[in-house]
Amino acid sequence: MEKIYNNQVEVVLDIIGGKWKSHIILHLGNGPVRTGELKRLVTGITQKMLIEKLKELEQDGLVSRTVYNQVPPRVEYSLTTFGASLKDVLKVVCDWGDDYVRQRYPNDEVIIKHDLHR
Amino acid sequence: MEKIYNNQVEVVLDIIGGKWKSHIILHLGNGPVRTGELKRLVTGITQKMLIEKLKELEQDGLVSRTVYNQVPPRVEYSLTTFGASLKDVLKVVCDWGDDYVRQRYPNDEVIIKHDLHR
DNA sequence: CCGTATCCTACAGGATACTG
DNA sequence: CAGTATCCTGTAGGATACGG
């Protein structure tokens, strides 16, 4: 069953679109992160959404999941090569978003909670 | 009333997210386009969605709308400076999406209807 | 600590018909 | 030709509770 997109941007939107995925990817930049730590980093996300989105990112080849057989359980997530390259692209997007907000909303009408990349 | 985002990527997703906006922006690249022509270019979009998304893009400062007082009515849309710069960013996104699809789905499991930028 | 299962709600997106 | 007004539906996302 083929997937059909109008253009390549839609492919990327399908991968990082929605409320949480970009935030997750940007927090996976510095090496492996445990599930609980990630939940703490991605402010406001529920466990259900975190696991769900991580699973989707894994299926799309952007995130790898490592399980350590120990008690208590330990699971770590990190970016794959694909994920890392996408993160570089997101950096470009971030920079544009930054300029956009600064120029268009110079008086804090728009608030960025986690000001990344600058 | 302030808007709050987790990161700058969300700002951009708010602007170009959804099913149609990226497609519209990419088609507004080559100068002004009339409404009807745009509807023809953006395959499958309904009139309601087209107008709705154009209005949102205009409010976000990415698209400008020019009305010519004549009969029959003539309305043209084009990218603003902001819109044009965003289009350059989308080009980077497109390129990544292209590589991604080529490497991960080399056998046409994924189809791009409008193969842009290459 | 990590993941799953239910249930629920809001809203993006679509079909269609109408106006100037 | 360009735009508006209704009505409808699928699904992303959230609250909550449970299990290994």
Side-chain angles (χ1 to χ4, degrees):
Chain A
M1 174 85 169
E2 305 149 336
K3 273 212 165 189
I4 301 180
Y5 295 95
N6 278 325
N7 58 58
Q8 295 93 337
V9 176
E10 286 190 357
V11 177
V12 182
L13 285 181
D14 213 26
I15 292 175
I16 58 130
K19 189 172 178 180
W20 297 112
K21 285 182 180 175
S22 71
H23 209 208
I24 292 174
I25 291 176
L26 292 172
H27 273 300
L28 284 178
N30 310 315
V33 184
R34 292 188 62 170
T35 314
E37 172 73 357
L38 200 50
K39 175 150 175 9
R40 204 183 56 74
L41 290 171
V42 183
T43 324
I45 197 171
T46 63
Q47 200 155 14
K48 180 207 168 196
M49 294 310 295
L50 179 63
I51 303 296
E52 192 173 303
K53 296 308 151 189
L54 280 170
K55 192 180 287 181
E56 291 173 13
L57 289 170
E58 195 191 353
Q59 283 167 356
D60 286 333
L62 303 173
V63 163
S64 67
R65 180 175 179 272
T66 311
V67 183
Y68 298 89
N69 280 324
Q70 58 187 51
V71 181
R74 176 189 184 87
V75 178
E76 285 186 347
Y77 293 91
S78 57
L79 293 180
T80 62
T81 309
F82 263 136
S85 68
L86 178 56
K87 185 163 176 276
D88 294 338
V89 174
L90 292 188
K91 161 115 181 53
V92 176
V93 176
C94 270
D95 288 348
W96 187 91
D98 224 43
D99 288 339
Y100 176 80
V101 171
R102 282 169 195 272
Q103 290 183 46
R104 194 165 172 83
Y105 305 102
N107 301 316
D108 293 341
E109 301 97 332
V110 169
I111 297 176
I112 311 291
K113 286 167 68 178
H114 297 264
D115 207 328
L116 299 162
H117 292 308
R118 288 226 172 164
Chain B
M1 174 87 169
E2 305 150 337
K3 274 212 167 191
I4 301 181
Y5 296 95
N6 279 325
N7 57 58
Q8 294 93 336
V9 176
E10 286 189 357
V11 176
V12 181
L13 286 181
D14 213 27
I15 294 176
I16 58 131
K19 189 172 179 180
W20 297 112
K21 285 182 180 175
S22 70
H23 209 207
I24 291 174
I25 290 176
L26 292 171
H27 274 300
L28 284 179
N30 312 315
V33 184
R34 292 187 64 168
T35 313
E37 172 74 357
L38 200 51
K39 176 153 176 3
R40 205 183 55 74
L41 290 172
V42 183
T43 326
I45 197 170
T46 62
Q47 197 157 12
K48 179 208 169 197
M49 294 310 297
L50 179 64
I51 303 296
E52 193 173 303
K53 296 308 149 189
L54 281 170
K55 192 179 288 183
E56 291 173 13
L57 288 170
E58 194 190 355
Q59 282 167 355
D60 286 332
L62 303 172
V63 163
S64 67
R65 179 174 179 274
T66 311
V67 183
Y68 298 88
N69 281 324
Q70 58 187 51
V71 180
R74 175 188 185 88
V75 178
E76 286 184 346
Y77 292 92
S78 56
L79 292 181
T80 63
T81 310
F82 263 137
S85 68
L86 179 56
K87 183 160 176 278
D88 293 338
V89 174
L90 292 188
K91 161 118 180 52
V92 177
V93 175
C94 270
D95 288 348
W96 187 92
D98 224 44
D99 289 339
Y100 177 79
V101 170
R102 282 169 197 269
Q103 290 183 46
R104 193 165 173 83
Y105 305 102
N107 302 316
D108 291 342
E109 302 97 330
V110 169
I111 297 175
I112 311 290
K113 285 167 69 178
H114 296 264
D115 208 327
L116 300 164
H117 292 311
R118 287 225 172 165

